[in-house]
Amino acid sequence: METTYNPKQMLDIFWEAALILKRGAPKYRWYNADAKDYWHSCNDPYVLVPRITTLDRDYSRAWHMHQQQQHGIHPVVIKAMGMARPDDWQQLLLEWPHKAQSDPSRLAYTANERKGTDDKQAITTVGKYLTRHFSTLPDHAIRDLAALCGKGECFIVNTSVQMIHHLERGPKSCMQWGRDNVEDHPYQAYAPEHGWGLAVRTIGGDTVGRALVITKDDSKYFVRSYFRNDDGYSGRDDVLEAWLKEDGYEHRGGWNHGQRLKRIDDSNDCGFVAPYLDGCNQRVSVVGKTLVIDDDGEYDCSNTNGDADTVNGTDCADCGDRTDENDGYWIGYHEDSLVCSDCNDNYTYGRGRNGREYRFHEDHGVYVESQDVSYHTDYLDDNNIVCLENGEYEHVDEAIEIDGDWYSVDDDRICLFQDTQEWGMQCDGWQCVASCDWYTDAVECVEVDGEKYHPANLHRGGDLKP
């Protein structure tokens, strides 16, 4: 992201323009033709001063005034503007993105002038909208911003009784032993007196997400989150993680060395109930009535049965750390390589060779918005994905080929010519003002007061049809 970006100045310009629209300014388009390229490339982009150009027909955008009165702009969009400059803030302003009334987790916006006049808003996901308007925002930042719109209530509990209550009712875990008795539950090891807590997300009273957290000595962090899926697999909870980051918690690859846990005596081989430790630091030493996370510790807490023994594992294909197969992720077309949960953040699940779905490195993935799927760049042909003229990717069913180049069906530069029934570029034809249909230059138009009309839309005398 840019280091010279001034979000306060951008927002000041944005809100000033919004106020002008709300007061019913003439129809206009913000621009600075002489400095356009400079504005997009210079290190100090806010030399730009907005100017207003009044078009041939001077009228106020009453529909935009109505949108502002009915809906506040989406707060996540404002957060995004605080992180990166939008690609076209004028277009963003005119679209006036806000929470969709039918589903507050999604976003509504006005796609164009006609839609505004008809009071029809397009509905999309927050992530897709941010991707379209903020090309400099990295994928992980967009993912976290979109996750803030997720459903449910997030909070942190810090007593053993509450932690075990939500553990047993939440996402599937090896630490679920089917009992709420605090005295002999292995989750006791995460004792609140040592700084442990549990972040919880609930929907309708049901626990759907959780994450162990540390809040101690000005250190706030977590290692992994769990989300309850209908198929029983506990994936990561992006919504809960976004909420934690918003609250100042850092996502780390493992628990800090020296972090203490409560020792629970047991008659097994190691003499205590060993909790399963997420992340890369899983070895502990016994110090009195506590366990201490220690690289040189004599016990490895990577078992799921309460024992702390040496675990037969597999080296992570990325970082080389020893990884329990039950806690790793299989990657590649044949799913024959294992990565740990931390390195898995560098992989995406999508479609690759022969249209098969599997995990591959994010450097080899491209996201196709219309399909809401990532594709392996080496196997785009296998999945009918084409590269558009603007460098983006699209499924062939959502694209049009014109003179050897591909364009999205939603590209404003293309049109369907009525006389040939073929797709082409708008610059190669003309549009009838009355019908909004496009025609090639082979069809002669009739001009009235500088506007072009198809002859079928005129009386013989030249007057416009009512």
Side-chain angles (χ1 to χ4, degrees):
M1 290 185 291
E2 300 176 60
T3 57
T4 58
Y5 175 56
N6 187 331
K8 182 181 183 301
Q9 196 168 13
M10 176 75 267
L11 287 169
D12 286 344
I13 295 173
F14 185 87
W15 291 124
E16 181 182 356
L19 184 60
I20 293 174
L21 277 175
K22 190 174 183 180
R23 289 174 175 173
K27 181 179 180 182
Y28 69 90
R29 170 73 174 176
W30 294 94
Y31 82 111
N32 187 331
D34 296 333
K36 183 177 181 181
D37 294 335
Y38 175 66
W39 174 54
H40 283 289
S41 61
C42 71
N43 292 327
D44 185 13
Y46 289 101
V47 297
L48 176 69
V49 177
R51 298 184 300 178
I52 294 178
T53 294
T54 303
L55 302 182
D56 293 337
R57 297 182 178 180
D58 187 12
Y59 63 94
S60 63
R61 280 190 168 107
W63 60 266
H64 202 282
M65 298 167 58
H66 176 73
Q67 287 298 306
Q68 290 198 47
Q69 292 168 354
Q70 295 296 315
H71 310 286
I73 198 164
H74 204 295
V76 167
V77 174
I78 299 302
K79 284 182 179 291
M81 292 178 69
M83 300 168 63
R85 182 173 60 219
D87 299 337
D88 186 343
W89 70 265
Q90 299 97 330
Q91 183 65 29
L92 182 69
L93 170 65
L94 293 176
E95 291 180 356
W96 198 253
H98 55 272
K99 291 183 179 180
Q101 291 180 304
S102 58
D103 183 356
S105 67
R106 293 168 68 82
L107 179 146
Y109 67 97
T110 302
N112 52 51
E113 193 81 34
R114 179 180 294 178
K115 297 293 186 182
T117 303
D118 294 341
D119 195 18
K120 293 182 179 180
Q121 284 72 49
I123 307 295
T124 186
T125 63
V126 174
K128 288 182 179 179
Y129 191 82
L130 294 180
T131 299
R132 182 161 67 87
H133 276 284
F134 295 88
S135 61
T136 60
L137 269 181
D139 291 343
H140 68 83
I142 290 179
R143 182 192 65 206
D144 289 345
L145 286 169
L148 291 174
C149 302
K151 299 177 180 179
E153 179 183 5
C154 299
F155 53 91
I156 292 177
V157 298
N158 51 17
T159 68
S160 295
V161 173
Q162 291 174 309
M163 291 168 68
I164 293 173
H165 171 82
H166 289 287
L167 166 74
E168 293 294 338
R169 289 159 177 77
K172 184 179 180 181
S173 169
C174 59
M175 296 292 284
Q176 287 176 330
W177 286 23
R179 58 177 181 262
D180 288 345
N181 187 349
V182 177
E183 296 303 320
D184 60 357
H185 199 289
Y187 227 59
Q188 280 189 90
Y190 305 114
E193 60 263 30
H194 295 306
W196 295 90
L198 188 69
V200 176
R201 181 162 74 99
T202 62
I203 296 179
D206 293 331
T207 303
V208 298
R210 72 168 188 283
L212 278 168
V213 299
I214 290 292
T215 308
K216 178 185 177 184
D217 300 330
D218 298 325
S219 179
K220 298 172 64 176
Y221 69 99
F222 67 99
V223 171
R224 183 179 178 182
S225 66
Y226 292 84
F227 174 69
R228 187 176 68 192
N229 290 320
D230 293 336
D231 58 7
Y233 170 73
S234 298
R236 61 183 291 173
D237 190 334
D238 289 335
V239 175
L240 183 59
E241 289 192 12
W243 179 82
L244 283 168
K245 292 175 183 178
E246 185 79 2
D247 200 39
Y249 284 84
E250 181 185 357
H251 187 189
R252 298 182 182 176
W255 304 109
N256 285 355
H257 295 289
Q259 175 59 44
R260 292 179 177 269
L261 303 99
K262 182 178 180 180
R263 174 182 172 178
I264 307 167
D265 293 331
D266 194 85
S267 59
N268 59 14
D269 292 340
C270 62
F272 60 88
V273 176
Y276 178 83
L277 293 178
D278 286 316
C280 56
N281 303 327
Q282 296 182 303
R283 299 190 69 85
V284 301
S285 296
V286 178
V287 181
K289 292 295 183 180
T290 64
L291 305 177
V292 180
I293 296 177
D294 180 6
D295 258 351
D296 299 321
E298 55 188 314
Y299 297 103
D300 189 344
C301 292
S302 58
N303 276 330
T304 61
N305 59 2
D307 289 329
D309 295 51
T310 301
V311 177
N312 293 323
T314 302
D315 290 342
C316 173
D318 269 12
C319 66
D321 287 349
R322 201 68 175 166
T323 302
D324 186 345
E325 294 184 2
N326 294 323
D327 193 41
Y329 297 85
W330 295 101
I331 63 171
Y333 180 74
H334 296 290
E335 297 185 336
D336 52 1
S337 297
L338 189 74
V339 294
C340 64
S341 59
D342 188 42
C343 290
N344 183 59
D345 290 342
N346 299 324
Y347 287 79
T348 185
Y349 188 78
R351 293 175 185 164
R353 180 179 170 188
N354 296 326
R356 180 174 171 179
E357 294 186 342
Y358 53 90
R359 285 185 175 83
F360 47 81
H361 200 279
E362 61 184 5
D363 290 345
H364 300 296
V366 293
Y367 177 74
V368 178
E369 179 178 349
S370 66
Q371 308 299 301
D372 196 18
V373 175
S374 292
Y375 294 89
H376 198 295
T377 52
D378 291 343
Y379 303 104
L380 297 178
D381 289 343
D382 289 8
N383 295 281
N384 296 317
I385 302 301
V386 295
C387 182
L388 302 180
E389 176 269 346
N390 61 7
E392 297 181 359
Y393 292 87
E394 184 58 272
H395 193 277
V396 69
D397 291 342
E398 300 293 329
I400 300 294
E401 186 178 14
I402 302 175
D403 296 333
D405 290 325
W406 288 94
Y407 299 84
S408 168
V409 295
D410 296 325
D411 196 314
D412 293 336
R413 296 173 296 171
I414 69 173
C415 64
L416 179 65
F417 291 122
Q418 295 298 310
D419 53 317
T420 64
Q421 286 301 299
E422 293 181 353
W423 288 87
M425 305 302 296
Q426 292 183 3
C427 60
D428 294 330
W430 58 275
Q431 186 181 31
C432 174
V433 174
S435 66
C436 294
D437 291 332
W438 285 87
Y439 299 90
T440 66
D441 291 333
V443 178
E444 293 188 5
C445 65
V446 177
E447 290 196 19
V448 178
D449 296 332
E451 303 284 8
K452 295 181 179 181
Y453 294 85
H454 190 279
N457 293 321
L458 296 172
H459 282 306
R460 293 180 179 178
D463 296 328
L464 291 178
K465 290 185 177 181

